[in-house]
């Protein structure tokens, strides 16, 4: 045992291993546990899974699927989840459509220009996320700059209410998550050999066909990585709807937040989080598979 | 239509979209008026206000402190995790290890935050530790989700290098520990640095997880900014954005000049 | 056997269920340039990695200079390996790459500098000392990798596909450099390669490997002229393999099943196959009146002609059997006469036949 503890490799593996088990895996297990417990008045506001009967001293197991039954029976929760999914889907798609050509052209620029463009892409990424969302709040105000421009050109006469609706949320999400789409795409496209395009042209393929039959399939792993990096976090996004959204749509992140901080119903908040993980497990698995494939290729 | 014309239009629009909001904020940070969107003339008033605002300064100090400690620990753990993933094949429950060291990358913040908070409360009930929520709990949370990012960067770097450089070092007489210090670490040093920087920004930027795990005396900058802008606009926050932008652009220009010179050599 | 320089005794190694080395034994003499030759997956690289100490054999032993090194870790073995992709340290410059091993041996600073400079001179790397390893050419990288090993004065140098990354012209040049260097320094070299020409031109002796076994060990002439079996005959150079049957009545005579002729040899042994190398067959354009004996000669039709400058390759069909003939172009006019679909007379000496 002592020889194992002196082993360098042992510490290399097990220090992060234990840390992640303690502070990532066990907390998830606790959410799981609380999502199955019975809510009650007090602190903590739920009954422990295992209690002893005060009279007989016997163990009592307090497990309920009621929290799950509750959130799945109430359309309010399901609707918020669907809202988040549709937000994530729409904004991922828009990010892909905007991000792909940018990533492609940056990757295909001359090395010197490429470095400059890449840094220009990364600068907003390193700027505070919160401040970037806030910037749109400023822009979209009733007396904000966008309305001013539109009115000056006579396109509108009255200021539009651009803020506090789900379009503003989509805009905010696309804006803040665009780098997450562009960077993995760039990573693939920069390694992409331009001779493939020449070969496809040589074999008589037209531009459109070249794109769909050669470039797109070869950059597919980058597309998957980029889409997952946008889609999954956006499903749980809280800040952007809070700052830019209105009362027209409620989102998943906000619901968990409210359930926990406002209603103080920990079991329901946990059940929501757990079901969120369950719904996200498929995209997460896709992400991990494509990610590990990519790394194997590098070896 | 010309192909390169299309390219410039696309890139132009893309970059305009990325920079327009930020520049607007910076311009309005020099606005005299208290009402953010009504231009009343040039003034540095809000910068003075910003540097007089004790709440923001305090939060800024706490954020920088937490971010640098968290980045350092996350880098340490992330280097170990990345090395284990890339180089050590015999790990008990290896796929479980891969899962817990990459899942935080994509796990929604709100779920991470909630789970960590419930964990700290349960731990407090069971062991009395941590005694209260505060800077320590935020720190632990930030380390935890940053580890995954650093691990991924390190693993990618190690995978792109053939294992044979480490074998070559051994062959030339370096004992295993010496191989790590003299070859593996220097080779991945650039990734260690970018891992640290990423962990630092992630911590500095985080609002949701910090909101869950924070306690008295641990209001980070994002928490303070969020409470200021949640209901309306704040000219001081405009000034803050401009300051942050200035710092980042300075670093980026420095980096660009450095790498450009390197390219010239090649 | 144990007093030979490098002795590999019954070494076996499996990866999962795949047997990479199957009870391999091998003896290598001091100052020898030895090649391990085989197609990919034959176990040659595994054997090299076991000698270097990166893999542990499942069974068997390795002796270097009389000492059992089987359990010695790589960093304690008095031998060095030059990796296929060179494995130069990307964070160090040329000088520090070369002196890395000396520093690990904790030599005195002056000694390190002197030894490093000496090897830099020997390998003509002067002026590149301060360069990063990704700022020098492929040929220079190869020499740095070689210098990094040689500076430690190893008893044995292992080279894993040392020339694979170089272009053809540089490869031939470097081949000669390697042989000269080895001769000058007297270090034992073991080279792993899949390139048979490279193995033939470099080695004193070579071993042919297939599926974890050593099929034959010998000098290049033995391997080429007297291969142990059909696989080796075909692996090294071009081989015409003819099925034969022992002739019961006449000694040293065989009946060819493929060609419907008789084959006379200089040796007699029961065998079902014989080898004739293409350059040992003579061809001339057939004239109708010329009679051809049916011993060690046949008529055939030219199916392919490839003029390669110093010699010409012909593919001949005879009795529905195909074989190759290589003719050196000593007399241009005579050879260029032979064209596609021409009928030719083929013949060979009885010494040209090798029974498999």
């Amino acid at each position: 045992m002592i020889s194992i503890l002196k082993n360098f490799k042992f510490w290399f593996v097990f220090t992060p291993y234990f840390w992640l088990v303690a502070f990532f895996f066990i907390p998830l297990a606790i959410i799981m546990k609380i999502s199955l417990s019975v809510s009650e008045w007090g602190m903590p506001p739920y009954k422990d899974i295992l209690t002893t009967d005060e009279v007989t001293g016997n163990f009592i197991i307090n497990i309920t699927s009621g929290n799950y039954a509750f959130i799945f029976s109430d359309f309010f929760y399901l609707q918020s989840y669907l809202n988040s999914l549709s937000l994530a889907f729409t904004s991922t798609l828009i990010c892909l459509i905007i991000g792909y050509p940018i990533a492609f052209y940056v990757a295909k620029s001359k090395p010197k220009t490429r470095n400059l463009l890449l840094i220009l892409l990364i600068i907003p990424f390193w700027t505070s996320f919160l401040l970037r969302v806030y910037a749109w709040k400023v822009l979209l105000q009733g007396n904000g700059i966008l309305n001013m421009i539109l009115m000056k050109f006579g396109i509108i006469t009255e200021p539009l209410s651009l803020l506090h609706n789900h379009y503003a949320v989509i805009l905010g999400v696309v804006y803040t998550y665009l780098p997450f789409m562009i960077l993995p795409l760039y990573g693939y496209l920069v390694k992409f050999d331009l001779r493939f395009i020449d070969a496809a042209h040589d074999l008589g393929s037209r531009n459109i066909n070249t794109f769909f039959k050669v470039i797109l399939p070869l950059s597919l792993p980058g597309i998957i990585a980029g889409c997952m990096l946008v889609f999954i976090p956006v499903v749980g996004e809280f800040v952007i709807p809070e700052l830019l959204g209105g009362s027209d749509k409620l989102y998943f992140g906000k619901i968990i937040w409210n359930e926990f901080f406002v209603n103080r119903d920990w079991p329901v908040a946990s059940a929501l989080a757990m079901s969120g993980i369950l719904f996200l497990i498929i995209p997460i698995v896709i992400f991990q598979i494509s990610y590990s494939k990519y790394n194997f290729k590098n070896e | 239509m010309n192909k390169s014309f299309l390219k410039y239009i696309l890139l132009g629009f893309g970059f305009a979209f990325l920079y327009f909001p930020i520049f607007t904020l910076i311009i309005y940070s020099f606005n005299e008026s208290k009402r953010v969107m009504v231009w009343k003339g040039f003034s540095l008033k809000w910068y003075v206000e910003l540097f007089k605002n004790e709440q923001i300064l305090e939060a800024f100090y706490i954020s920088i402190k937490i971010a640098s400690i968290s980045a350092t620990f996350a880098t340490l753990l992330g280097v170990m995790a990345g090395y284990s993933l890339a180089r050590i094949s015999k790990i008990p429950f290896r796929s479980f290890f891969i899962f817990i060291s990459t899942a935080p990358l994509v796990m929604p913040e709100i779920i991470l935050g909630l789970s960590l908070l419930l964990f700290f409360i349960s731990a407090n009930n069971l062991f009395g530790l941590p005694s209260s929520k505060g800077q320590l709990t935020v720190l632990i949370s930030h380390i935890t989700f940053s580890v995954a990012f650093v691990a991924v960067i390190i693993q990618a770097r190690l995978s792109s290098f053939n294992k044979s450089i480490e074998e070559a070092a051994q062959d030339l007489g370096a004992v295993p520990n010496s191989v790590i210090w003299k070859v593996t670490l220097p080779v991945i040093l650039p990734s260690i640095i970018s891992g640290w920087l990423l962990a630092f920004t992630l911590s500095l930027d985080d609002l949701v997880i910090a909101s869950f795990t924070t306690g008295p005396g641990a209001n980070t900058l994002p928490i303070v900014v969020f409470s200021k802008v949640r209901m309306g606009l704040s000219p001081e926050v405009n000034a803050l954005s401009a300051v942050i932008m200035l710092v980042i652009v300075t670093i980026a220009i420095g980096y660009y000049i450095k790498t450009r010179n390197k390219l010239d050599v090649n | 056997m144990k007093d030979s320089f490098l002795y590999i005794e019954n070494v076996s190694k499996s990866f999962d269920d795949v047997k990479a080395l199957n009870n391999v034994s091998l003896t290598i003499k001091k100052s020898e340039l030895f090649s391990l030759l085989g197609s990919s997956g034959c176990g040659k690289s595994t054997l090299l990695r076991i000698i270097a100490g990166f893999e542990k054999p499942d069974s068997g032993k390795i002796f270097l200079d009389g000492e059992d090194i089987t359990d010695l870790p790589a960093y304690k073995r008095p031998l060095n390996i030059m990796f296929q992709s060179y494995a130069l340290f990307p964070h160090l410059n040329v000088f520090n790459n070369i002196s890395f091993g000396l520093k690990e041996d904790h030599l005195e600073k002056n000694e390190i500098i002197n030894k490093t400079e000496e090897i830099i001179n020997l390998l003509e790397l002067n002026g590149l000392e301060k360069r990063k390893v990704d700022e020098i050419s492929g040929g220079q990288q190869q020499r740095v990798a070689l210098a990094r090993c040689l500076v430690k004065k190893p008893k044995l140098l292992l080279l894993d596909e040392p020339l694979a990354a170089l272009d053809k012209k540089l490869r031939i040049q470097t081949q000669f450099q390697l042989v000269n260097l080895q001769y000058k320094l007297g270090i034992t070299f073991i080279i792993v390669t899949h390139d048979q020409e490279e193995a033939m031109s470099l080695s004193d002796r070579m071993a042919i490997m297939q599926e974890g076994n050593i099929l034959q060990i010998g000098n290049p002439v033995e391997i080429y002229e007297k291969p142990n079996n059909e696989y080796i005959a075909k692996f090294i150079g071009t081989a015409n393999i003819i099925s034969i049957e022992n002739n019961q009545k006449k000694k040293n005579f065989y009946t060819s099943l493929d060609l419907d002729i008789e084959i006379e040899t200089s040796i007699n042994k029961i065998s079902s196959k014989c080898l004739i190398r293409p350059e040992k067959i003579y061809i001339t354009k057939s004239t109708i009146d010329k009679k051809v004996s049916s011993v060690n000669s046949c008529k055939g039709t030219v199916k392919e002609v490839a003029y390669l400058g110093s010699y010409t390759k012909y593919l001949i069909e005879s009795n529905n059997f195909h074989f190759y003939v290589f003719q050196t172009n000593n007399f241009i006019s005579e050879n260029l006469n032979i064209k596609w679909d021409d009928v030719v007379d083929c013949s060979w000496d009885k010494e040209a036949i090798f029974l498999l």
Side-chain angles (χ1 to χ4, degrees), chain C residues 192-208:
Chain C
V192 152
T193 177
H194 68 277
D195 182 336
Q196 39 119 338
E197 257 178 63
E198 193 174 296
M200 299 279 284
S201 60
L202 285 172
S203 335
D204 296 324
R205 286 193 311 144
M206 56 206 263
I208 312 289

mmCIF file of all heavy atoms in Angstrom, chain C residues 192-208:
data_model
loop_
_atom_site.group_PDB
_atom_site.id
_atom_site.type_symbol
_atom_site.label_atom_id
_atom_site.label_comp_id
_atom_site.label_asym_id
_atom_site.label_seq_id
_atom_site.Cartn_x
_atom_site.Cartn_y
_atom_site.Cartn_z
ATOM 1 N N VAL C 192 15.249 -1.819 -38.167
ATOM 2 C CA VAL C 192 13.963 -2.400 -38.526
ATOM 3 C C VAL C 192 13.489 -1.725 -39.796
ATOM 4 O O VAL C 192 13.534 -0.501 -39.907
ATOM 5 C CB VAL C 192 12.945 -2.188 -37.395
ATOM 6 C CG1 VAL C 192 11.545 -2.129 -37.941
ATOM 7 C CG2 VAL C 192 13.049 -3.304 -36.373
ATOM 8 N N THR C 193 13.101 -2.499 -40.780
ATOM 9 C CA THR C 193 12.635 -1.884 -42.024
ATOM 10 C C THR C 193 11.642 -2.805 -42.726
ATOM 11 O O THR C 193 11.612 -4.005 -42.494
ATOM 12 C CB THR C 193 13.815 -1.557 -42.958
ATOM 13 O OG1 THR C 193 13.312 -1.039 -44.173
ATOM 14 C CG2 THR C 193 14.662 -2.779 -43.240
ATOM 15 N N HIS C 194 10.811 -2.206 -43.555
ATOM 16 C CA HIS C 194 9.923 -3.017 -44.379
ATOM 17 C C HIS C 194 10.399 -2.954 -45.826
ATOM 18 O O HIS C 194 9.832 -3.563 -46.706
ATOM 19 C CB HIS C 194 8.488 -2.511 -44.269
ATOM 20 C CG HIS C 194 8.300 -1.155 -44.884
ATOM 21 N ND1 HIS C 194 8.587 -0.008 -44.212
ATOM 22 C CD2 HIS C 194 7.890 -0.801 -46.111
ATOM 23 C CE1 HIS C 194 8.368 1.023 -44.999
ATOM 24 N NE2 HIS C 194 7.943 0.586 -46.165
ATOM 25 N N ASP C 195 11.479 -2.165 -46.038
ATOM 26 C CA ASP C 195 11.968 -1.943 -47.391
ATOM 27 C C ASP C 195 13.081 -2.936 -47.669
ATOM 28 O O ASP C 195 14.178 -2.851 -47.128
ATOM 29 C CB ASP C 195 12.475 -0.501 -47.483
ATOM 30 C CG ASP C 195 12.966 -0.153 -48.876
ATOM 31 O OD1 ASP C 195 13.337 -1.079 -49.621
ATOM 32 O OD2 ASP C 195 12.988 1.043 -49.213
ATOM 33 N N GLN C 196 12.822 -3.922 -48.553
ATOM 34 C CA GLN C 196 13.800 -4.991 -48.737
ATOM 35 C C GLN C 196 15.079 -4.511 -49.404
ATOM 36 O O GLN C 196 16.165 -4.974 -49.090
ATOM 37 C CB GLN C 196 13.171 -6.162 -49.505
ATOM 38 C CG GLN C 196 12.246 -5.753 -50.605
ATOM 39 C CD GLN C 196 12.729 -6.246 -51.937
ATOM 40 O OE1 GLN C 196 13.900 -6.538 -52.116
ATOM 41 N NE2 GLN C 196 11.802 -6.323 -52.879
ATOM 42 N N GLU C 197 14.944 -3.513 -50.290
ATOM 43 C CA GLU C 197 16.148 -2.985 -50.937
ATOM 44 C C GLU C 197 17.075 -2.355 -49.903
ATOM 45 O O GLU C 197 18.291 -2.531 -49.941
ATOM 46 C CB GLU C 197 15.758 -1.919 -51.955
ATOM 47 C CG GLU C 197 15.801 -2.413 -53.388
ATOM 48 C CD GLU C 197 15.355 -1.321 -54.335
ATOM 49 O OE1 GLU C 197 16.041 -0.277 -54.389
ATOM 50 O OE2 GLU C 197 14.306 -1.492 -54.983
ATOM 51 N N GLU C 198 16.434 -1.607 -48.962
ATOM 52 C CA GLU C 198 17.191 -0.949 -47.911
ATOM 53 C C GLU C 198 17.930 -1.997 -47.078
ATOM 54 O O GLU C 198 19.127 -1.867 -46.813
ATOM 55 C CB GLU C 198 16.196 -0.176 -47.039
ATOM 56 C CG GLU C 198 16.788 0.817 -46.095
ATOM 57 C CD GLU C 198 15.656 1.589 -45.412
ATOM 58 O OE1 GLU C 198 14.921 2.293 -46.120
ATOM 59 O OE2 GLU C 198 15.502 1.451 -44.199
ATOM 60 N N ALA C 199 17.223 -3.058 -46.704
ATOM 61 C CA ALA C 199 17.823 -4.107 -45.879
ATOM 62 C C ALA C 199 18.975 -4.764 -46.622
ATOM 63 O O ALA C 199 20.049 -4.989 -46.055
ATOM 64 C CB ALA C 199 16.769 -5.137 -45.511
ATOM 65 N N MET C 200 18.775 -5.056 -47.914
ATOM 66 C CA MET C 200 19.812 -5.726 -48.695
ATOM 67 C C MET C 200 21.068 -4.868 -48.772
ATOM 68 O O MET C 200 22.173 -5.360 -48.606
ATOM 69 C CB MET C 200 19.322 -5.986 -50.122
ATOM 70 C CG MET C 200 18.112 -6.861 -50.235
ATOM 71 S SD MET C 200 18.498 -8.597 -50.135
ATOM 72 C CE MET C 200 19.180 -8.865 -51.738
ATOM 73 N N SER C 201 20.888 -3.572 -49.037
ATOM 74 C CA SER C 201 22.068 -2.758 -49.287
ATOM 75 C C SER C 201 22.782 -2.373 -47.991
ATOM 76 O O SER C 201 23.965 -2.092 -48.013
ATOM 77 C CB SER C 201 21.693 -1.515 -50.094
ATOM 78 O OG SER C 201 20.762 -0.752 -49.384
ATOM 79 N N LEU C 202 22.056 -2.355 -46.853
ATOM 80 C CA LEU C 202 22.687 -1.921 -45.607
ATOM 81 C C LEU C 202 23.352 -3.055 -44.839
ATOM 82 O O LEU C 202 24.422 -2.881 -44.274
ATOM 83 C CB LEU C 202 21.643 -1.277 -44.683
ATOM 84 C CG LEU C 202 21.139 0.122 -44.980
ATOM 85 C CD1 LEU C 202 19.988 0.443 -44.047
ATOM 86 C CD2 LEU C 202 22.238 1.135 -44.803
ATOM 87 N N SER C 203 22.708 -4.219 -44.808
ATOM 88 C CA SER C 203 23.021 -5.165 -43.739
ATOM 89 C C SER C 203 24.223 -6.058 -43.988
ATOM 90 O O SER C 203 24.516 -6.429 -45.123
ATOM 91 C CB SER C 203 21.834 -6.108 -43.506
ATOM 92 O OG SER C 203 20.651 -5.528 -43.911
ATOM 93 N N ASP C 204 24.864 -6.422 -42.865
ATOM 94 C CA ASP C 204 25.783 -7.545 -42.892
ATOM 95 C C ASP C 204 24.971 -8.837 -42.909
ATOM 96 O O ASP C 204 25.221 -9.738 -43.679
ATOM 97 C CB ASP C 204 26.674 -7.540 -41.644
ATOM 98 C CG ASP C 204 27.555 -6.309 -41.601
ATOM 99 O OD1 ASP C 204 27.987 -5.878 -42.680
ATOM 100 O OD2 ASP C 204 27.800 -5.784 -40.500
ATOM 101 N N ARG C 205 24.006 -8.875 -41.973
ATOM 102 C CA ARG C 205 23.103 -10.017 -41.945
ATOM 103 C C ARG C 205 21.689 -9.499 -41.734
ATOM 104 O O ARG C 205 21.495 -8.386 -41.250
ATOM 105 C CB ARG C 205 23.459 -10.967 -40.798
ATOM 106 C CG ARG C 205 24.720 -11.794 -41.069
ATOM 107 C CD ARG C 205 24.829 -12.927 -40.067
ATOM 108 N NE ARG C 205 24.656 -12.454 -38.709
ATOM 109 C CZ ARG C 205 24.025 -13.161 -37.761
ATOM 110 N NH1 ARG C 205 23.535 -14.360 -38.031
ATOM 111 N NH2 ARG C 205 23.901 -12.677 -36.539
ATOM 112 N N MET C 206 20.717 -10.296 -42.056
ATOM 113 C CA MET C 206 19.345 -9.865 -41.836
ATOM 114 C C MET C 206 18.458 -11.037 -41.436
ATOM 115 O O MET C 206 18.795 -12.203 -41.684
ATOM 116 C CB MET C 206 18.796 -9.186 -43.089
ATOM 117 C CG MET C 206 18.869 -10.020 -44.351
ATOM 118 S SD MET C 206 18.948 -8.971 -45.801
ATOM 119 C CE MET C 206 17.247 -8.948 -46.290
ATOM 120 N N ALA C 207 17.339 -10.692 -40.769
ATOM 121 C CA ALA C 207 16.370 -11.717 -40.403
ATOM 122 C C ALA C 207 15.053 -11.369 -41.069
ATOM 123 O O ALA C 207 14.631 -10.211 -41.070
ATOM 124 C CB ALA C 207 16.191 -11.765 -38.888
ATOM 125 N N ILE C 208 14.420 -12.371 -41.684
ATOM 126 C CA ILE C 208 13.109 -12.142 -42.302
ATOM 127 C C ILE C 208 12.051 -12.606 -41.312
ATOM 128 O O ILE C 208 12.116 -13.744 -40.816
ATOM 129 C CB ILE C 208 12.945 -12.960 -43.594
ATOM 130 C CG1 ILE C 208 14.166 -12.819 -44.491
ATOM 131 C CG2 ILE C 208 11.657 -12.572 -44.321
ATOM 132 C CD1 ILE C 208 14.308 -11.493 -45.137
#
